[in-house]
Amino acid sequence: QVQLVESGGGSVQAGESLRLSCAASKDIRSFDAAGWYRQGPGKPRELVARIRGGDRTDYLDSVKGRFTISRGNGVNIVSLEMDGLEPEDTAVYYCYVMKYDPVRGPVDYWGQGTQVIVSS
């Protein structure tokens, strides 16, 4: 089990920046993947960015070049720097970590989510 606590959401104008942070109760490096999903109004949850297999990163096409995922200053922190925010980025952002279990397969753990609102 792991607890994930997000912070850094808020309301901004288009073009501005926000930094989301996720504090885990365990070393992030002990998981096989860590990152961020989001769910906008009336939309399905989608992967925004993740770190996996060490330092390999993946990004949603629409955020490439604007968002950067990284491990924070502590070993239990994963952050998402969001620059050039657009109204379409409005969503609840969820931190997640994943661990492969030899019996159950991939097991995901989720934070409670943090709201990001971008106004035009």
Side-chain angles (χ1 to χ4, degrees), residues 84-99:
L85 283 161
E86 303 170 353
E88 292 73 23
D89 296 317
T90 294
V92 178
Y93 285 70
Y94 297 91
C95 176
Y96 93 107
V97 295
M98 183 275 287
K99 183 72 174 177

Side-chain angles (χ1 to χ4, degrees), residues 52-120:
R52 60 187 175 96
D55 290 327
R56 182 171 180 174
T57 57
D58 302 301
Y59 291 94
L60 181 69
D61 283 347
S62 63
V63 309
K64 287 180 180 177
R66 300 188 297 122
F67 291 11
T68 304
I69 189 171
S70 63
R71 292 191 183 89
N73 293 330
V75 295
N76 64 333
I77 300 288
V78 60
S79 299
L80 184 68
E81 179 71 31
M82 304 186 295
D83 298 320
L85 283 161
E86 303 170 353
E88 292 73 23
D89 296 317
T90 294
V92 178
Y93 285 70
Y94 297 91
C95 176
Y96 93 107
V97 295
M98 183 275 287
K99 183 72 174 177
Y100 282 107
D101 182 274
V103 175
R104 295 184 290 169
V107 178
D108 296 333
Y109 300 91
W110 297 90
Q112 292 297 307
T114 185
Q115 179 74 57
V116 172
I117 298 173
V118 185
S119 302
S120 57

Side-chain angles (χ1 to χ4, degrees), residues 5-78:
V5 179
E6 301 102 333
S7 61
S11 296
V12 297
Q13 297 292 315
E16 294 183 342
S17 299
L18 280 174
R19 184 179 181 87
L20 305 182
S21 291
C22 175
S25 58
K26 294 182 178 179
D27 187 343
I28 290 288
R29 296 169 298 181
S30 66
F31 295 92
D32 297 294
W36 296 86
Y37 275 73
R38 70 185 182 187
Q39 187 165 16
K43 298 179 182 179
R45 189 173 293 192
E46 60 184 357
L47 175 66
V48 178
R50 66 182 174 188
I51 297 176
R52 60 187 175 96
D55 290 327
R56 182 171 180 174
T57 57
D58 302 301
Y59 291 94
L60 181 69
D61 283 347
S62 63
V63 309
K64 287 180 180 177
R66 300 188 297 122
F67 291 11
T68 304
I69 189 171
S70 63
R71 292 191 183 89
N73 293 330
V75 295
N76 64 333
I77 300 288
V78 60

